[in-house]
Amino acid sequence: MTKEEVLKRLKEGNIRYLSSNANDGDVSETVRIDTAENGQHPYAVVVTCSDSRVVPEDIFMTGIGELFTIRVAGNVLTDTQLGSIEYACGHLHSPVVVVLGHTNCGAVGAALEGDGEKHVKAITDYIHIAIGNEKDYEKACCLNVEYGVKAAKEALGSGSDAPLIVGAMYDIRTGEVKWL
Ligand SMILES: [Zn+2]
């Protein structure tokens, strides 16, 4: 699939999701065996939050072998996430990377309230840099995505071989993905 075809597939999947009660993605034994024997060729990398309300395979109505998903609270893109993206784009040839934030992100909320405790601080430290002095919850969630897109672009470069890297925001109430 081309970059444009991947984006079209994701957008259509999200529209289908809005009026569905179950994911129609292929999780059959056939696709399990096919991907086990022939390897994976995920057409998109999705970096998103660990929030249980944000399930990328469902949001885009996908099955086995379609999305290379990286989930971490606050969809922060530190070295381990960037390494995962580099692997997916460099070795599995995924042409598109989506940094998918979401409304009411608890990690962004924690950063707006100050510093997290123990290891959570690593996440809030990143988000503080991403959002700067922004105090508005919704705007901060968007800034956090934009910062992630920038980090991914810096890591992967912008040549003609580079993947398309886009930001998007998932509304946990409506289910809609807004492309930034
Ligand atoms: Zn979140």
Side-chain angles (χ1 to χ4, degrees):
M1 274 202 263
T2 65
K3 295 166 185 175
E4 292 70 30
E5 285 167 345
V6 170
L7 273 187
K8 187 165 175 280
R9 164 68 186 83
L10 295 173
K11 286 175 182 174
E12 285 172 353
N14 180 241
I15 288 166
R16 221 159 57 245
Y17 167 74
L18 295 177
S19 58
S20 303
N21 293 318
N23 188 343
D24 61 16
D26 190 348
V27 293
S28 65
E29 183 183 32
T30 308
V31 73
R32 271 204 313 276
I33 291 170
D34 177 49
T35 51
E37 290 181 354
N38 300 311
Q40 56 169 331
H41 307 284
Y43 52 73
V45 179
V46 178
V47 189
T48 193
C49 188
S50 302
D51 192 303
S52 62
R53 299 166 293 185
V54 183
V55 185
E57 285 79 2
D58 294 338
I59 291 167
F60 296 115
M61 299 289 251
T62 59
I64 292 167
E66 296 185 60
L67 301 182
F68 191 94
T69 305
I70 301 162
R71 292 182 70 173
V72 56
N75 38 270
V76 300
L77 274 81
T78 56
D79 286 352
T80 49
Q81 286 77 43
L82 293 170
S84 302
I85 298 173
E86 285 172 9
Y87 170 73
C89 296
H91 294 268
L92 306 176
H93 309 293
S94 300
V96 171
V97 177
V98 182
V99 180
L100 181 67
H102 68 98
T103 57
N104 298 86
C105 181
V108 174
L112 287 172
E113 285 170 15
D115 289 327
E117 291 181 354
K118 297 176 75 178
H119 291 88
V120 177
K121 188 172 181 299
I123 297 168
T124 53
D125 282 352
Y126 169 99
I127 296 173
H128 281 145
I129 297 167
I131 68 175
N133 295 321
E134 184 59 60
K135 296 283 178 245
D136 181 81
Y137 198 2
E138 202 168 315
K139 284 181 189 160
C141 289
C142 286
L143 284 174
N144 187 42
V145 168
E146 285 167 13
Y147 185 77
V149 168
K150 189 164 139 272
K153 283 184 175 171
E154 279 170 11
L156 285 123
S158 55
S160 56
D161 295 346
L164 175 68
I165 302 169
V166 293
M169 186 62 60
Y170 175 69
D171 187 315
I172 60 166
R173 179 174 291 273
T174 66
E176 191 183 354
V177 172
K178 287 205 175 91
W179 300 84
L180 303 178

